[in-house]
Amino acid sequence: MDLQSPETFVSLFLEIRKKTQSGHLILGGAGIKLSNVAVSVVTPSSLQLKVAEHVQNIELPEGVRIVPSSCQKLQHFAADNLCLRFQVHTENNAEFSPTVLESMRAQKRYTFYCQSCKEVIISQWEFIRVLPLPSGGWNDVVGEWCCHPDPFAGRKLLPRENDCLLGDTFLLVESGSFCDSVIWEPRTDLKKDKSLPMDVIGSISKGKENTTIFCKHCKSILGEAASQETAKLYITELIILPAFEEISKIELDHRSQFVESFVARRLAELSDAKSIFRFSLEGLEGTVFALLWLLNSDTLLVGCFRNLTCDSISNVAGENTLNSSQQTSYEARSAVKVLYQPCVQNENGNVINIWENDIGVHSLTLPTQTCSEVLQILSSSTLSLPSSLRSMNSFQVAFLRL
């Protein structure tokens, strides 16, 4: 029997939760039946999958071991999917690497590159102070902090010379730190940007502040002016490295994976630091692109990978097909699991209004093109999942790799 024929084509999806120490195996394929499929534990670190006359041993990643007695019976899950649940022991407790917004330190030299063309934007610059900005809307609650007139009234949260101020998706630096590789181009339309504190937004009127910052070499948007002498640069458009450190292959060749990893790590960081789990993804002009709901950040995806470009979608299951007497070892990748609703073409207007008025929802602002890239990445992830796992209520499901 031809293993690539519809009768024997079987796909697999394996999700392991480190905190709950549980595993969830989904098998799919045209005409798959309980009567001709069997899954057994060969050793604590391997499973054996039998489909009709064909056998495949699946070696789990190092540090992941199945509890044999916990394996339940293979059951119908939905449509053509079969499901097996079991308990695991995981020794892979390594923390994900922080984003540059968490790892930057004062009195160290950094070089900023354009992420698109790798042109140097800021060369070997040492910041005397690296400070976090407060959350947007912080001045709304100043009255609750102070029993006397607002001491921050009329003052701007902008960096001094050799300062770097860190926001949720951006940083603020003085324009004097730039090389000659950027262009400041006036904007014709400036709308409310929720990622800056209100006092900074209110200070933006006419002049250089109404300006978009471009890379001179490739014309990619790097950020915008926050004041006459302050640049607001978005982290997804930059590679920021300690001076003399080389750019990695991922940062060099694969923008999609670079953006995906940043968004995944930033969601995890913000949820850990602020106990925030719902986010709105917004463009610079204030348009909401997607509503995101972080479910967990402790997932290991086994044998579940997409192509690195957002426009080339690889079906998880389609990549892992059975071959006779084959033993396969799958790499595990840490990921965050999110629910999301796209908000393009004026869809979900009522939900957007509800979320915008909810103080438990945190806005993440990125350049418009990057927001579109994030939507493509989410859609690619959804399409790569078994059909029975692609949606939950009115939300779609996606995994973003850390």
Side-chain angles (χ1 to χ4, degrees), residues 54 84 93 95 116 148 166 311 365 399:
H54 308 287
L84 179 68
N93 295 318
E95 296 293 331
S116 297
H148 47 77
L166 307 177
D311 55 355
T365 302
F399 291 90

Side-chain angles (χ1 to χ4, degrees), residues 143-154:
E144 302 295 328
W145 302 343
C146 304
C147 58
H148 47 77
D150 183 0
F152 304 104

